[in-house]
């Protein structure tokens, strides 16, 4: 967000900061206290305090800062802010990863969003709102079990590595957890209890009894229970928000060194893993790792008594992705058991299939880590696409596909628009399609051709410029055809009960919008004037956002495809900041 937009927000909301509250250091914190016990402004990320205007101190006569004798001014409330984190898909290596082979998982642009809104100190409550699952509950901050969480032998600090849940702390929050949703159906309540447990464990571990009253409102565009890492995305949002509130994070900002960005991501990821343990018991850690850092990772666990190997793949290209939800419920445990049974009955054959899936992952990893790897190369994309097709065939041979997944693949393969496979455990869930690239224009003896690789020339003649215009026209026609195919696919898939998402593979991880204002810049018409403004995100309009499209429109997440170039040119929105070590 621009400083002008931020200052405008501060003026409209009468939000004043004090120079005396500026922290001495915001990059590292080695002190023994976990949470500042002062004004809510002091829990603000340090680099943002510099953006606050110098206040006018009120007097008992209502004059300016130099008139009459002054009285102590109450601390201002921190403005609302947002945190967002992506879901994930397994691109290569499902099921083989259970048997010690490597897998590759990548972030997708379907995301969870957390809005943190602050209340006056008199409220003394903390509220968790998750309307997508009909969860809303408030706790009295003073009645939470702070004593045990702050006991010397129990207290954890933001920089600690926590690999197991403390059973005494889990037991301590049970009375507060058991208050949640007592009258809802048991299946729904189970989800509410898991969500509340994760939230309270993180809140009590990272906050303090003097934490400002606030409301945590969650919305998500990630289908729940579809194997897309929705719970990890939420855990990352909660972890990042709480760490920001206690000033344990630096950035994100454009000039942040890569190693510093990695440190912030790792800090968020560690506490997100704690949140995942509250929900899943013994999670692999891959979902929260991808959601925290974005892009893609290679994941392998040969020995379940040791931590897994997780290697970031920063070169993984950001690709347009079609994701289709079968809406068929599935059980990961059931699908894993199928493979185990096949392996027991046909050990040699099953082992060969699992080895082949491992080789698919190794082939992709080898390409991505080649020193001269070009993520824009069509040949490279075709290599990755062919591996998608091979991987799916091998998973089918293991018996973990489903008629609905095969129907999706059949419909999409018929269009020739991309490479399709199931993702995750199978037996339902989702299928992914990496879309094929647009053709590229090249010159051959003055004749325009469309090829699958790039070509350029330093000398451009009038004839070549004409050819370039012709090529642009051809590509434009191809783009329109592609969009027409996608529209037709959407109709066909919806008719058969499937849900289609146009998203992006291997994008950003956790991001921050501070304050919760999206900066709009509208370019005028040919003879018009440019216009600048901002849209504040508050509880009311955030809760009112209708479905995925409404959420994305409100918080500024662009769709995977912009049909109208003119529409794209007329509006550019900014404000979200991300930790990007690969830059």
């Amino acid at each position: 967000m621009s400083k002008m937009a931020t200052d405008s927000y501060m003026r409209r909301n009468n939000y004043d900061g004090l120079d005396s509250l500026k922290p001495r250091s915001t990059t590292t914190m080695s002190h023994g206290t976990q949470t500042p016990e002062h004004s809510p402004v002091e829990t603000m990320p340090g680099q943002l305090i510099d953006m606050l205007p110098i206040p006018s101190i009120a007097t008992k006569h209502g004059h300016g800062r130099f008139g009459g004798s002054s009285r102590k001014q109450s601390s201002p409330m921190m403005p609302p802010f947002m945190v967002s984190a992506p879901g994930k898909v397994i691109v290569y290596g499902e099921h083989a990863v259970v048997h010690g082979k490597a897998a590759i998982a990548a972030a997708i642009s379907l995301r969870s969003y957390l809005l943190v809104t602050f209340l006056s100190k008199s409220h003394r409550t903390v509220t968790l709102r998750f309307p997508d699952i009909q969860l809303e509950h408030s706790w009295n901050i003073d009645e939470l079990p702070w004593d045990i969480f702050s006991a010397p032998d129990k207290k954890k600090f933001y920089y600690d590595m926590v690999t197991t849940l403390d059973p005494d702390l889990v037991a301590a929050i049970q009375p507060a957890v058991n208050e949640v949703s007592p009258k809802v159906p048991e299946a729904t309540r189970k989800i509410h209890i898991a969500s509340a447990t994760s939230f309270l464990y993180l809140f009590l571990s990272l906050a303090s009894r003097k934490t400002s009253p606030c409301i945590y409102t969650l919305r998500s565009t990630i289908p729940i229970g579809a194997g897309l890492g929705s719970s990890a995305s939420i855990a990352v949002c909660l972890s990042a928000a709480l760490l920001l509130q206690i000033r344990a994070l630096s950035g994100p900002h454009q000039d942040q060194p890569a190693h510093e960005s990695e440190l912030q991501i790792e800090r968020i990821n560690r506490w997100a893993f704690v949140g995942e343990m509250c929900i899943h018991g013994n999670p692999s850690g891959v979902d929260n790792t991808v959601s925290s850092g974005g892009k893609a990772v290679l994941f392998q666990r040969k020995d379940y008594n040791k931590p897994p190997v997780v290697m970031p793949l920063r070169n993984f290209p950001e690709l347009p992705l079609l994701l289709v939800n079968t809406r068929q419920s599935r059980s990961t445990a059931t699908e894993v058991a199928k493979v185990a049974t096949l392996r027991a009955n046909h050990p040699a054959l099953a082992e060969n299939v699992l080895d082949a899936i491992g080789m698919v992952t190794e082939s992709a990893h080898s390409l991505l880590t080649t020193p001269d790897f070009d993520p824009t190369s069509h040949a490279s994309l075709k290599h990755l696409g062919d591996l998608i097709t091979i991987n799916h065939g091998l998973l089918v041979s293991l018996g973990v596909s489903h008629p609905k997944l095969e129907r999706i693949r059949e419909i999409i393969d018929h269009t020739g628009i991309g490479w399709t496979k199931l993702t995750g455990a199978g037996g339902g869930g989702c299928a992914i399609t990496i879309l094929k690239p647009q053709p590229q224009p090249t010159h051959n003896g003055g004749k325009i051709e469309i090829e699958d690789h790039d070509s350029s020339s330093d000398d451009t003649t009038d004839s070549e410029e004409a050819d370039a215009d012709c090529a642009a026209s051809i590509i434009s026609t191809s783009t329109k055809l592609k969009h027409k195919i996608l529209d037709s696919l959407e109709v066909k898939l919806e008719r058969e009960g499937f849900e289609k998402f146009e998203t992006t593979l291997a994008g950003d991880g956790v991001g921050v919008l501070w304050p919760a204002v999206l900066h709009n810049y509208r370019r005028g018409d040919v003879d018009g004037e440019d216009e600048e403004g901002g849209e504040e995100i508050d509880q009311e309009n955030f809760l009112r956002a209708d479905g995925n499209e409404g959420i994305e429109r409100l918080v500024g997440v662009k769709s995977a495809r912009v049909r109208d170039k003119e529409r794209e040119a007329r509006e550019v929105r900014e404000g979200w900041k991300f930790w990007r070590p690969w830059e």
Side-chain angles (χ1 to χ4, degrees):
M1 173 179 296
S2 69
K3 187 176 187 301
M4 186 179 75
T6 302
D7 289 347
S8 174
Y9 173 89
M10 299 300 183
R11 288 194 298 273
R12 287 195 304 274
N13 291 276
N14 299 315
Y15 185 77
D16 292 331
L18 302 175
D19 287 342
S20 61
L21 298 179
K22 186 184 292 186
R24 289 186 296 273
S25 172
T26 60
T27 303
T28 60
M29 297 173 66
S30 59
H31 50 77
T33 57
Q34 183 181 4
T35 308
E37 304 279 341
H38 301 292
S39 157
V41 178
E42 290 196 83
T43 63
M44 187 183 308
Q47 73 278 8
L48 299 174
I49 292 180
D50 293 333
M51 301 169 69
L52 300 178
I54 296 174
S56 171
I57 299 176
T59 72
K60 66 179 181 179
H61 299 293
H63 301 301
R65 65 185 299 169
F66 299 111
S69 60
S70 63
R71 59 186 173 89
K72 185 178 180 181
Q73 188 182 30
S74 61
S75 298
M77 285 192 296
M78 184 175 173
F81 71 95
M82 293 193 75
V83 178
S84 175
K88 74 93 183 61
V89 293
I90 297 180
V91 188
Y92 307 106
E94 294 94 331
H95 286 284
V97 71
V98 177
H99 301 279
K101 316 298 181 186
I104 292 176
I108 55 175
S109 59
L110 298 178
R111 305 178 71 90
S112 294
Y113 299 90
L114 174 65
L115 174 65
V116 183
T117 308
F118 293 83
L119 307 173
S120 65
K121 288 184 177 181
S122 61
H123 280 80
R124 300 309 300 153
T125 58
V126 59
T127 299
L128 178 64
R129 281 181 172 174
F130 195 173
D132 298 333
I133 59 171
Q134 294 79 51
L135 170 60
E136 179 171 348
H137 192 83
S138 297
W139 293 272
N140 187 313
I141 293 175
D142 299 323
E143 294 175 1
L144 292 174
W146 296 107
D147 289 342
I148 187 169
F149 272 83
S150 58
D153 60 333
K154 299 293 184 183
K155 188 171 181 64
K156 298 296 182 183
F157 298 92
Y158 69 88
Y159 47 78
D160 284 333
M161 170 77 81
V162 180
T163 56
T164 58
L165 298 179
D166 187 319
D168 293 336
L169 300 183
V170 173
I173 63 175
Q174 285 314 300
V177 169
N178 291 337
E179 297 173 4
V180 175
S181 308
K183 297 181 180 180
V184 302
E186 190 57 33
T188 302
R189 188 164 191 256
K190 186 177 180 181
I191 297 171
H192 289 192
I193 291 294
S195 301
T197 300
S198 180
F199 170 72
L200 285 175
Y201 199 99
L202 289 177
F203 182 74
L204 285 159
S205 295
L206 292 170
S208 80
R209 66 173 74 243
K210 292 188 178 180
T211 294
S212 298
C214 52
I215 301 172
Y216 296 87
T217 305
L218 279 157
R219 300 293 307 272
S220 183
T221 65
I222 308 168
I224 296 172
L228 301 176
S230 60
S231 66
S233 171
I234 292 166
V236 169
C237 285
L238 291 171
S239 169
L242 290 165
L243 288 166
L244 282 166
Q245 285 178 251
I246 65 171
R247 293 191 302 165
L249 296 176
S250 172
H253 56 82
Q254 187 175 2
D255 300 323
Q256 198 161 20
H259 72 275
E260 189 176 297
S261 291
E262 288 172 351
L263 174 63
Q264 315 313 310
I265 290 170
E266 175 59 23
R267 193 165 285 170
I268 293 167
N269 187 31
R270 286 183 180 185
W271 283 101
F273 181 70
V274 175
E276 278 281 85
M277 285 193 290
C278 292
I279 295 172
H280 298 295
N282 185 29
S284 67
V286 66
D287 287 12
N288 49 276
T289 299
V290 173
S291 187
S292 297
K295 283 285 184 177
V297 300
L298 181 91
F299 178 87
Q300 187 169 20
R301 195 170 205 167
K302 293 183 178 180
D303 184 348
Y304 276 77
N305 294 317
K306 297 179 181 179
V309 174
V310 181
M311 183 185 305
L313 299 174
R314 305 300 191 199
N315 281 343
F316 202 107
E318 191 168 332
L319 301 170
L321 184 78
L322 198 65
L323 187 147
V324 183
N325 185 6
T326 63
R327 290 185 166 128
Q328 174 67 43
S329 61
R330 87 284 183 276
S331 164
T332 299
T334 299
E335 301 307 313
V336 170
K338 279 185 187 178
V339 177
T341 301
L342 184 71
R343 198 172 177 225
N345 294 338
H346 306 280
L349 288 173
E351 202 61 43
N352 281 336
V353 174
L354 293 171
D355 285 343
I357 293 175
M359 290 172 66
V360 166
T361 303
E362 289 174 10
S363 179
H365 178 248
S366 177
L367 174 67
L368 293 166
T369 54
T370 301
D372 59 351
F373 171 68
D374 179 5
T376 65
S377 163
H378 287 198
S380 294
L381 182 55
K382 185 178 187 305
H383 183 106
L384 295 174
D386 289 342
L387 294 177
I388 289 283
T389 304
I390 294 167
N391 199 162
H392 180 79
L394 293 169
L395 290 168
V396 171
S397 70
L398 288 177
V400 296
S401 189
H402 187 276
K404 290 186 177 181
L405 288 166
E406 292 308 304
R407 178 57 179 154
I408 290 168
R409 185 190 58 78
E410 179 185 8
I411 292 171
I412 296 175
D413 281 359
H414 182 71
T415 68
I417 203 168
W419 302 275
T420 302
K421 68 179 282 290
L422 68 86
T423 182
C430 295
I432 58 172
T433 301
I434 293 180
L435 299 179
K436 292 180 179 178
Q438 297 294 337
Q440 295 293 315
T442 60
H443 299 282
N444 184 6
K447 180 181 178 182
I448 194 73
E449 293 182 352
I450 301 296
E451 299 184 2
D452 284 341
H453 57 80
D454 296 330
S455 177
S456 60
S457 173
D458 292 335
D459 299 320
T460 303
T461 65
D462 292 340
S463 174
E464 287 173 331
E465 288 178 358
D467 283 346
D469 290 340
C470 176
S473 176
I474 293 171
I475 292 176
S476 176
T477 301
S478 174
T479 301
K480 290 177 182 177
L481 177 61
K482 191 173 188 177
H483 292 171
K484 186 176 180 180
I485 292 171
L486 288 171
D487 288 336
S488 176
L489 263 178
E490 183 167 9
V491 172
K492 194 161 192 174
L493 290 166
E494 285 186 355
R495 274 182 192 160
E496 300 202 21
F498 305 128
E499 184 179 25
K500 178 181 78 71
F501 301 89
E502 290 178 45
T503 180
T504 303
L505 186 68
D508 285 309
V510 61
V512 180
L513 178 66
W514 193 100
V517 179
L518 277 167
H519 183 57
N520 296 324
Y521 175 71
R522 293 178 180 275
R523 296 190 180 94
D525 297 327
V526 176
D527 298 321
E529 295 183 357
D530 294 346
E531 181 182 350
E532 195 166 355
E535 181 176 4
E536 298 173 21
I537 313 301
D538 59 23
Q539 286 281 327
E540 184 178 355
N541 57 19
F542 190 46
L543 289 169
R544 196 171 55 235
D546 186 18
N548 284 13
E549 186 176 343
I551 294 170
E552 291 184 350
R553 186 186 301 114
L554 177 67
V555 298
V557 176
K558 290 184 179 179
S559 62
R561 155 169 77 99
V562 179
R563 304 179 192 212
D564 188 348
K565 286 186 179 181
E566 182 183 357
R567 184 177 70 189
E568 181 182 31
R570 287 178 63 85
E571 181 170 358
V572 178
R573 307 186 75 187
E574 61 183 36
W576 284 105
K577 305 296 181 186
F578 301 92
W579 287 280
R580 291 170 173 160
W582 54 86
E583 291 184 351

